[in-house]
Amino acid sequence: MSLRRRIEQSQRLASLLASLAGSYLALCNRTTRWQVEGLDDLRAALAQGPVLLVMWHGRSVMAALHWPVADGPLTSLYDSSPIGRVSGALQRRVGLRSIQMSRQTTNLAASRIVLKRVREGISIGMTADGPLGPAYQVKDAPLEWARITGVPVFCYAFATTRGLRLNTWDRMLVPRLFGHGAMVFARFEGTVPRKPDDATRSNLREQMRRFMDATTARADRLISR
């Protein structure tokens, strides 16, 4: 049986791999000299209630470690793919509330779960282009969840001077030890109307894409100083 299949079938194996990955990422987090931007704005928003946190899949690996757990819980949805199972186990390891979804789960069912969590005061984290891409293209889910929840939307990105790009569809950035890094949280000011038409939805997707790209570019600039 392939490793992929074993991970898909075994929560124990996913947890073991998450423990190894989590230990490494936690060490990277501790040995990296981080510049932080926007965290106070995020904390101020969390003092008023939950938020929706969106990020590019390729810059998501440190999000669980950078989320201010003391200021409010965060949940995210993940699928049964190997990287999804490991990601979910890693999120639970650092105190987040992840939920596994099957690939047969409809958008409506996922939206109901998200709305229930937000009503419980729990923030939602998600990749705007994941879990399968295409990379750096905003899907409908972030806009739909922003519409049904009405909560503030924050974008997250990190960058590091010592990192490795994986040979994956998203060219995921994984940090190395003893680098200089930057994490950025930025509030997205676009609003999704109650019943957006196709043109409005398309414009909002493009607006969010540009804002997320700008947030990522900001993190990159901070480490280039």
Side-chain angles (χ1 to χ4, degrees):
M1 183 183 295
S2 68
L3 178 60
R4 176 188 180 91
R5 188 65 175 167
R6 288 177 180 176
I7 296 173
E8 288 177 344
Q9 294 185 350
S10 173
Q11 185 66 53
R12 180 176 297 179
L13 180 57
S15 296
L16 174 60
L17 294 176
S19 179
L20 295 174
S23 297
Y24 172 75
L25 292 175
L27 184 59
C28 288
N29 193 44
R30 290 194 299 271
T31 61
T32 298
R33 295 177 59 185
W34 294 101
Q35 297 182 69
V36 184
E37 189 168 281
L39 184 57
D40 288 342
D41 292 338
L42 174 60
R43 283 175 166 156
L46 290 172
Q48 304 301 314
V51 305
L52 177 64
L53 185 72
V54 297
M55 66 207 80
W56 291 132
H57 199 277
R59 299 291 181 113
S60 64
V61 73
M62 297 299 290
L65 290 165
H66 290 166
W67 175 260
V69 177
D71 294 284
L74 179 74
T75 193
S76 64
L77 280 60
Y78 66 95
D79 67 10
S80 60
S81 68
I83 192 168
R85 294 288 296 275
V86 173
S87 175
L90 176 59
Q91 291 161 21
R92 291 190 296 273
R93 183 179 185 272
V94 298
L96 305 186
R97 304 184 185 185
S98 56
I99 306 173
Q100 181 176 339
M101 309 293 290
S102 74
R103 295 190 176 181
Q104 286 71 45
T105 302
T106 64
N107 290 337
L108 179 59
S111 296
R112 286 173 175 167
I113 293 172
V114 167
L115 185 58
K116 181 177 184 294
R117 285 298 175 99
V118 168
R119 286 173 174 168
E120 294 171 351
I122 302 171
S123 295
I124 305 296
M126 66 178 305
T127 54
D129 56 347
L132 300 174
Y136 306 111
Q137 293 185 25
V138 175
K139 295 189 174 182
D140 284 335
L143 301 177
E144 179 63 15
W145 294 359
R147 183 188 69 81
I148 65 172
T149 62
V151 300
V153 178
F154 277 79
C155 296
Y156 160 82
F158 85 94
T160 178
T161 56
R162 289 181 53 80
L164 172 68
R165 289 282 189 176
L166 301 184
N167 187 27
T168 52
W169 64 267
D170 58 351
R171 301 291 295 163
M172 178 172 281
L173 176 63
V174 177
R176 291 174 171 169
L177 303 173
F178 304 110
H180 293 265
M183 68 179 85
V184 176
F185 297 93
R187 185 164 181 165
F188 177 66
E189 298 297 345
T191 57
V192 184
R194 182 179 178 84
K195 295 182 178 180
D197 56 28
D198 290 343
T200 300
R201 191 180 294 273
S202 178
N203 289 336
L204 282 168
R205 276 200 303 268
E206 178 62 15
Q207 185 181 350
M208 180 175 284
R209 183 195 66 79
R210 291 196 303 266
F211 188 77
M212 293 182 67
D213 282 346
T215 302
T216 303
R218 176 59 181 166
D220 289 339
R221 285 196 301 272
L222 286 173
I223 65 168
S224 67
R225 290 179 178 177

